[in-house]
């Protein structure tokens, strides 16, 4: 039955190739959906690693440093706490309005940008931006919150909240923008894993900060997961319909096989083999298509290596489940049809 199944695929090669291309495109979109979902988490990890804090102290009324704006007097951090002021701002790029997350930091202290391409942040009037910010090259001047700052350096891969690029300015510039120059901060950074928070503050770990940053994206991530499952269903439907049509066309063949002693299970193995071959070929093509399509998306798509490793497993499972549709048809074939007119 295995040889017969392979010969049947060869006989219907054109149909097989068309089905494979359709299934591959569906699986490629599934990979991209996985990449989008992973990007939300990976961008937070990279940004928190770049900040370098082990502990965050924020107002006990705030949900987190990046989702609440509750300024506090910056001396509340104590001698070891590096103050930071987090702002959400927009800048104009021609007719476009670009969103960014602004971090006001003390140059040289915890939270100040590292691994900078260009010059590090050193004094007021300067800004270090993520290289994903459109129209912001080294030497350019940006207007952030009504304050002109010059881009002196760039960092890479530091984004939050579904792709919003980071911009680092001095704490004094951030205070001039948001608190009219009053000495205030929205968070204090510590390099030690455990501290006693000053009165009115609460301590958050990086894991808690990450969870808070991803919280507003919960519905978006759930929607992406739902779309991914629907894509798998579409792929199973395509494979199942192709195999079912082949089973319809081969009704007389199956009757002959049964009349000569071939069991329904053996026929099912042949159908399953066709489904696996179709699925694995589609998986290989899907991986290539996903790498080609991912850079075309407006959002940054990072497909993890684990998704590529899991793809063949998913495709085979989907293919085997789809083959049950055709197997159900073959189970009803009577051997007597082999002797019909």
């Amino acid at each position: 039955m295995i040889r017969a199944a392979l010969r049947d695929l060869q006989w219907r090669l054109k149909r097989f190739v068309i089905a494979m291309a359709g299934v591959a495109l569906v699986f490629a979109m599934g990979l991209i959906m996985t990449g989008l979902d992973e990007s939300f988490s990976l961008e937070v990890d990279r940004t928190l690693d770049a900040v370098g804090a082990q502990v965050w102290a924020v107002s006990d009324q705030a949900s987190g440093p990046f989702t609440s704006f509750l300024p506090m007097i910056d001396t509340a951090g104590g001698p070891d706490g590096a103050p930071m002021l987090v702002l959400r701002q927009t800048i104009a790029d021609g007719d476009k309005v670009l969103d960014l997350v602004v971090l006001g930091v003390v140059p040289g202290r915890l939270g100040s940008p590292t691994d900078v391409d260009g010059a590090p942040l050193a004094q007021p009037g300067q800004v270090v931006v993520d290289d994903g910010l459109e129209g912001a090259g080294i030497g350019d001047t940006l207007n952030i919150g009504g304050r002109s700052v010059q881009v002196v350096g760039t960092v890479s891969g530091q984004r939050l909240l579904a792709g919003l690029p980071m911009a680092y300015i001095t704490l004094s510039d951030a205070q001039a923008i948001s608190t009219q120059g009053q000495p205030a901060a929205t968070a204090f950074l510590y390099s030690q894993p455990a501290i006693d928070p000053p009165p009115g503050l609460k301590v958050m770990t990086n894991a808690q900060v990450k969870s808070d940053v991803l919280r507003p994206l919960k519905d978006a991530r759930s929607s992406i997961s739902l779309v991914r499952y629907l894509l798998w269903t579409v792929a199973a439907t395509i494979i199942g319909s192709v195999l079912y049509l082949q089973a319809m066309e081969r009704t007389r063949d199956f009757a002959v096989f049964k009349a000569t002693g071939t069991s329904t299970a053996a026929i099912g193995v042949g159908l399953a083999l066709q489904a696996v071959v179709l699925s694995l070929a589609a998986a290989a093509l899907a991986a290539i298509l996903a790498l080609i399509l991912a850079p075309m998306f407006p959002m940054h798509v990072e497909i993890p290596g684990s998704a590529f490793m899991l793809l063949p497993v998913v495709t085979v499972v989907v293919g085997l489940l789809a083959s049950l549709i055709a197997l159900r048809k073959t189970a009803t074939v009577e051997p007597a049809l082999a002797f019909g007119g």
Side-chain angles (χ1 to χ4, degrees), residues 131-143:
D131 55 14
L133 181 63
E134 297 180 33
I138 295 178
D140 292 340
T141 299
L142 304 180
N143 188 305

Side-chain angles (χ1 to χ4, degrees), residues 29-316:
M29 292 306 300
L31 280 175
I32 290 175
M33 291 296 103
T34 300
L36 281 174
D37 186 43
E38 286 294 319
S39 296
F40 297 152
S41 178
L42 292 174
E43 68 181 13
V44 180
D45 289 336
R46 275 196 299 268
T47 300
L48 294 181
D49 287 343
V51 170
Q54 294 295 314
V55 173
W56 301 65
V58 299
S59 168
D60 55 11
Q61 302 299 313
S63 61
F66 296 104
T67 56
S68 302
F69 181 73
L70 291 173
M72 305 161 289
I73 300 301
D74 67 7
T75 56
D80 298 326
M84 172 182 285
L85 190 57
V86 182
L87 308 173
R88 281 285 304 275
Q89 290 291 324
T90 60
I91 59 173
D93 180 22
D95 295 333
K96 294 182 180 179
V97 176
L98 305 177
D99 292 273
L100 66 161
V101 179
V102 180
L103 300 185
V105 298
V106 179
R109 294 193 65 181
L110 194 61
S112 187
T114 57
D115 297 326
V116 178
D117 183 11
L121 184 67
Q123 62 186 20
Q126 296 180 343
V127 62
V128 172
V129 299
D130 182 77
D131 55 14
L133 181 63
E134 297 180 33
I138 295 178
D140 292 340
T141 299
L142 304 180
N143 188 305
I144 299 178
R147 196 170 185 85
S148 294
V149 289
Q150 184 180 36
V151 179
V152 295
T154 61
V155 291
S156 181
Q158 296 186 30
R159 295 175 291 271
L160 287 178
L161 302 172
L164 297 185
M166 308 295 292
Y168 295 87
I169 61 177
T170 63
L171 181 63
S172 60
D173 279 341
Q175 291 168 343
I177 293 171
S178 61
T179 63
Q180 297 182 337
Q182 295 299 312
T186 55
F188 301 95
L189 313 181
Y190 298 85
S191 59
Q192 299 300 319
I195 66 164
D196 293 325
L201 274 68
K202 67 177 181 180
V203 167
M204 298 183 69
T205 64
N206 278 332
Q208 291 171 322
V209 172
K210 178 180 178 179
S211 177
D212 181 63
V213 173
L214 293 178
R215 177 181 47 77
L217 304 175
K218 180 180 178 181
D219 290 342
R221 300 184 74 186
S222 297
S223 298
I224 289 173
S225 296
L226 177 60
V227 170
R228 184 166 61 241
Y229 296 140
L230 291 176
L231 288 171
W232 292 347
T233 303
V234 171
T237 302
I238 295 174
I239 297 173
S241 63
V242 170
L243 295 180
Y244 185 77
L245 287 175
Q246 291 186 196
M248 291 284 291
E249 294 173 356
R250 298 177 65 198
T251 299
R252 181 65 62 86
D253 295 342
F254 293 148
V256 171
F257 289 147
K258 287 188 174 183
T260 56
T262 303
S263 65
T264 299
I267 296 174
V269 170
L271 292 172
L273 176 63
Q274 290 181 329
V276 169
V277 171
L278 174 58
S279 299
L280 290 178
L285 182 57
I288 298 173
L289 287 175
L291 292 175
I292 295 174
L293 294 174
M296 300 180 184
F297 278 68
M299 284 191 58
H300 193 67
V301 178
E302 299 183 59
I303 305 175
S306 58
F308 288 106
M309 296 177 63
L310 188 61
L311 180 62
V313 178
V314 173
T315 56
V316 168

